[in-house]
Amino acid sequence: MTHTAPRDIIVPAVPAAASPRRRTAGIVMAVASALAFSSSGPLVKPLLEAGWSLSAALIVRMGLAGLILSPALVRALRRERSFLRRHGLALLAFGLIPVAGCQLLFFSAMQRMPVAVALLIQYLAPVMLVGFVWLRTRRTPSRLVIIGSIVAIAGLVLVVDIAGARFDLLGTLLALGAAICVCVYFVMSERTGDDLPPLALAAGGLLVGAAFMGVLAVTGVLPFDAPPVTVVFRGVEIPGILALLWVGGVATTLGYALGVMAVPRVGSRLASFIGLSEVLFALGFAWLLLGETPAAIQFVGGALLLGGVILVRMDAAEADAVSVPADPILPVPTLPVPTAGEAGSGTR
């Protein structure tokens, strides 16, 4: 497993060839992470519609997840007295860019353009990673990766259903910024190891993100409202705070914990493409909880998206078979958080 250089926080590492068992475990973790992240949007959406501000929801979400994962950070601090001096910049960057930055940029884009368009732009991150490696290494991606990228993005276009959508220049730039934040998430996650444990990075980043959102709320940069509300899912009323506790204590905690542990096992490229499944899971949760039935074309898109992921996985399997290390690619998640509906599903 690669180690994190304290000053070189976003330069992709070259992962060693993973054993089949380790890679399989990583794939399972990556899928479970996408599933966990995808449940956040359908649960947060009714809360925001009922009067909660985005800042309040994100503070509770990130703060609770950070506290639950904090024992990993405490262990790292106790094991190495110089941990914060060596890795403090990485924790700060992870909290400000992939955690808080991704969500702020995505939701800002969502206010200027349809959710589907913002999601589509943000989920260009896997292709951006492939292109980055291509430019950096001068090595042309394999045919499987190129075809898989095209098929996956075509499926994504159908899944998010952007028919009749309007484009906004500033909104597009904001969504591209969110995509870059997603790329940084995978890059930094891939560089974790014994030196900087994945869970310690996740815990520190979530706490930094919650603190940053708190500063924005206290200073009035962002509004803060957290009224007692009741939300309705399929005719069942529950206290709004219970939905948010699930989002922070389960969805966000598992999403980040499993995600940062999966990336070093499967590599950034494969992990980023598996992350696209978050959109599919979000459709399912929106259907189950909010009654938002997917259109037939979205099922077709889902099949194409999964086909693209399989092609990228086949390329990784071929690389393992000939004992060739994976490309030094960046890894990208899932915000978290938006759904395929009004709340979106792509904020990590």
Side-chain angles (χ1 to χ4, degrees):
M1 185 179 289
T2 53
H3 298 281
T4 302
R7 297 181 183 276
D8 197 12
I9 56 175
I10 59 172
V11 177
V14 181
S19 67
R21 179 176 299 180
R22 177 179 171 80
R23 184 178 288 274
T24 298
I27 291 174
V28 173
M29 289 180 181
V31 172
S33 173
L35 176 62
F37 275 132
S38 68
S39 68
S40 298
L43 291 170
V44 171
K45 176 184 175 181
L47 200 62
L48 298 179
E49 293 176 341
W52 271 60
S53 65
L54 177 62
S55 64
L58 293 183
I59 288 172
V60 175
R61 176 179 184 249
M62 293 186 290
L64 179 57
L67 289 175
I68 292 174
L69 296 177
S70 62
L73 180 60
V74 173
R75 284 195 298 271
L77 292 171
R78 295 180 62 182
R79 184 187 65 182
E80 180 184 352
R81 292 184 178 180
S82 61
F83 182 84
L84 284 181
R85 177 175 58 81
R86 298 185 61 222
H87 303 296
L89 181 59
L91 298 180
L92 183 64
F94 194 79
L96 294 180
I97 302 175
V99 176
C102 183
Q103 298 180 62
L104 287 175
L105 289 170
F106 176 83
F107 279 107
S108 296
M110 191 179 71
Q111 293 175 345
R112 302 185 64 89
M113 59 171 53
V115 174
V117 178
L119 274 177
L120 176 61
I121 296 173
Q122 177 175 288
Y123 276 107
L124 292 176
V127 177
M128 293 171 65
L129 292 177
V130 172
F132 175 86
V133 174
W134 189 350
L135 292 175
R136 182 176 181 271
T137 65
R138 311 291 190 199
R139 294 173 55 189
T140 304
S142 70
R143 183 175 301 178
L144 281 176
V145 170
I146 293 176
I147 296 175
S149 300
I150 295 173
V151 172
I153 295 303
L156 182 62
V157 171
L158 297 180
V159 169
V160 300
D161 190 14
I162 62 173
R166 68 185 187 281
F167 285 86
D168 177 89
L169 178 58
L170 179 56
T172 299
L173 294 176
L174 291 170
L176 285 173
I180 293 174
C181 290
V182 173
C183 292
V184 174
Y185 165 83
F186 284 105
V187 175
M188 297 188 68
S189 298
E190 188 174 42
R191 294 183 59 80
T192 57
D194 296 333
D195 194 34
L196 176 56
L199 293 182
L201 176 66
L206 285 164
L207 292 175
V208 167
F212 177 67
M213 293 300 302
V215 170
L216 294 181
V218 170
T219 57
V221 175
L222 292 177
F224 182 92
D225 293 295
V229 297
T230 299
V231 293
V232 181
F233 298 105
R234 290 282 190 167
V236 179
E237 295 186 357
I238 65 170
I241 191 62
L242 290 183
L244 194 54
L245 288 176
W246 170 273
V247 170
V250 179
T252 304
T253 300
L254 290 179
Y256 275 102
L258 295 172
V260 295
M261 291 191 296
V263 176
R265 290 170 166 80
V266 302
S268 54
R269 180 175 59 203
L270 180 56
S272 65
F273 277 91
I274 294 175
L276 293 176
S277 63
E278 181 182 335
V279 181
L280 301 181
F281 291 133
L283 282 176
F285 278 114
W287 189 3
L288 177 66
L289 298 176
L290 306 178
E292 298 177 356
T293 305
I297 193 66
Q298 291 177 298
F299 288 104
V300 175
L304 287 175
L305 195 156
L306 292 177
V309 174
I310 291 172
L311 290 172
V312 175
R313 172 67 182 99
M314 289 170 59
D315 176 77
E318 288 185 3
D320 287 345
V322 297
S323 300
V324 176
D327 287 339
I329 46 209
L330 321 173
V332 186
T334 199
L335 135 256
V337 166
T339 73
E342 283 298 317
S345 80
T347 50
R348 297 242 166 210

